Amino acid sequence: MAARRSRIPATKYPVERFNLDNGLRVVLTPDRSAPVIGVAVVYDVGIRSEPEGRTGFAHLFEHLMFQGSENLEKLAHFRHVQGAGGTFNGSTHLDYTDYFETLPSNALERALFLEADRMRGPRLTEENLRNQVDVVKEEIRVNVLNRPYGGFPWLTLPPVMFDTFPNAHDGYGSFDDLESATVADAADFFRRYYASGNAVLAVSGDIDVAEATRLIERHFGDVPGRPAPQRPDFDEPDLTAERRTSYTDKLAPLPAVASAWRVPDPITDFLGYLPYVVLAEVLTDGDASRLVERLVQRDRTVTSVGGYLGFMGDPFDVRDPTALLLQSHLPPGGDVDKVLRTVDEELDRLATDGLTEGELARTQARMATHLLRDTDAVLGRALRMAVLEQQRGEPG
């Protein structure tokens, strides 16, 4: 086993970690090979954290965090980052929300000031709230309601698979819930979840650790300290029988099918979870994978097939409960039941006969390549390390 593991390409980045007095966790990973930095702030709040009656609130709040902050007017964040030659964005996930910038290394202090300023407090006004509710509603129209296969399967599969509100509800949100949100709701959400003790700051790239530490302490040290809230209970009873449902998408030209299986806890049972990450790759990654070879190339019962862990395709930054997902698009007249039977056949064959010669090594090499590519860029490294620090306390 040791010999086989040694053949898998790997790299190791230097990591410095420390906590500020206000509870903010900091991860620094210097790399002086290019004059570029990635800065990421990750808050331990996501779609699963939003309360009943406030579906879509985590995503809405991500938008509000760009509408000005304690010392900056609306759109100032955009102007300061782009004016320094940088790029920025944010995204909402099931278990966290992140905000990030890529900048020339001489703009490090600018990025730290910007992130610290909105950690102190975004500009939560009625005008900003109503404006961003309209923006999110338009996103839903564009990405879900008026798009073929909109929300498939990340919005459509969880309510089939899960029973509790945190895991089953629509993370984009209903128009009624979004429209009924108030500034007081937003302020309460910020106080509860956007605490310094509920956040991780990661900086990667062309930094001097001592200088970066000094700048972080200068800009984040006086952010009012609030502890992390008690994490909501996301526990979900395991499935006891197969569940199926179907719906008609009037915009979709061809049928599609998605299936999912519960898997071990990715945090507390990582060694039990990892084989499922490999399994998804064995089944669907590349033309030589089992289901691509069988369903697409040989049987031609589907036009495409994909497999991944986590409803948003993030196998290494997701908490339990989660699942292994497979999804396929079918040709005209395609037979969904036949596709599902074939998947079962291939899974049974794999369980009975095991992997073929070289199949595991090929899959490991592809997975390692993808991971190395994802963390090669300084921003990808900062984002990954921030989430790993938050969820596991092991950013390296």
Side-chain angles (χ1 to χ4, degrees), residues 3-335:
R4 182 169 59 189
R5 185 181 295 120
S6 68
R7 291 198 300 268
I8 301 173
T11 191
K12 186 174 179 64
Y13 295 104
V15 177
E16 299 283 343
R17 304 164 64 212
F18 61 92
N19 289 11
L20 298 186
D21 291 342
N22 58 18
L24 177 68
R25 287 178 282 171
V26 180
V27 180
L28 303 178
T29 174
D31 177 359
R32 311 307 292 267
S33 60
V36 181
I37 56 166
V39 177
V41 178
V42 173
Y43 294 90
D44 197 346
V45 56
I47 290 168
R48 285 201 264 222
S49 302
E50 56 197 19
E52 277 191 79
R54 288 292 174 265
T55 59
F57 208 90
H59 177 225
L60 171 63
F61 204 88
E62 176 215 318
H63 282 251
L64 290 172
M65 287 287 279
F66 285 97
Q67 302 308 301
S69 53
E70 186 172 88
N71 295 297
L72 294 170
E73 73 277 12
K74 187 172 184 176
L75 302 182
H77 193 109
F78 300 43
R79 178 163 46 83
H80 285 299
V81 174
Q82 292 173 336
T87 59
F88 66 93
N89 213 329
S91 58
T92 309
H93 301 252
L94 291 179
D95 297 303
Y96 65 91
T97 306
D98 57 24
Y99 303 88
F100 47 87
E101 295 86 19
T102 302
L103 287 156
S105 55
N106 61 7
L108 171 61
E109 186 166 14
R110 179 179 300 209
L112 297 176
F113 165 76
L114 293 171
E115 290 297 350
D117 203 58
R118 61 178 167 189
M119 188 179 285
R120 289 187 191 91
R123 295 200 176 200
L124 301 176
T125 67
E126 183 67 22
E127 178 186 2
N128 283 344
L129 177 62
R130 299 275 70 87
N131 174 266
Q132 293 310 302
V133 165
D134 288 342
V135 170
V136 172
K137 286 167 60 180
E138 186 61 21
E139 275 195 28
I140 296 172
R141 293 187 185 100
V142 171
N143 294 333
V144 180
L145 300 180
N146 295 314
R147 170 181 283 184
Y149 313 103
F152 175 84
W154 77 277
L155 292 179
T156 53
L157 199 51
V160 182
M161 191 165 200
F162 299 128
D163 298 316
T164 66
F165 173 80
N167 299 311
H169 76 276
D170 181 347
Y172 245 138
S174 75
F175 282 13
D176 288 343
D177 284 357
L178 291 167
E179 289 167 351
S180 65
T182 67
V183 173
D185 293 330
D188 180 67
F189 195 81
F190 176 80
R191 281 192 300 270
R192 179 177 302 181
Y193 292 111
Y194 278 73
S196 53
N198 206 38
V200 175
L201 165 68
V203 183
S204 177
D206 184 21
I207 58 171
D208 175 82
V209 170
E211 174 68 5
T213 300
R214 184 182 66 80
L215 292 174
I216 289 167
E217 289 173 342
R218 172 194 292 177
H219 290 284
F220 287 89
D222 64 349
V223 173
R226 300 193 309 279
Q230 182 175 352
R231 188 176 299 128
D233 183 8
F234 303 141
D235 190 44
E236 181 83 28
D238 206 348
L239 294 169
T240 57
E242 184 181 274
R243 299 178 180 181
R244 290 197 188 194
T245 193
S246 61
Y247 68 100
T248 300
D249 181 344
K250 294 181 179 178
L251 299 177
L254 297 169
V257 60
S259 50
W261 294 261
R262 289 286 298 275
V263 296
D265 189 319
I267 305 295
T268 63
D269 187 13
F270 191 51
L271 292 181
Y273 173 78
L274 272 179
Y276 292 90
V277 183
V278 178
L279 174 62
E281 303 289 323
V282 167
L283 292 174
T284 65
D285 187 34
D287 290 344
S289 63
R290 298 208 168 206
L291 293 183
V292 172
E293 193 278 331
R294 174 75 188 273
L295 294 172
V296 179
Q297 298 176 351
R298 192 196 320 171
D299 295 356
R300 303 198 175 190
T301 51
V302 305
T303 57
S304 66
V305 59
Y308 47 95
L309 272 290
F311 289 89
M312 302 179 85
D314 43 11
F316 298 118
D317 50 8
V318 65
R319 294 189 175 112
D320 191 63
T322 190
L324 186 159
L325 278 73
L326 296 176
Q327 67 180 89
S328 300
H329 289 79
L330 282 65
D335 186 335

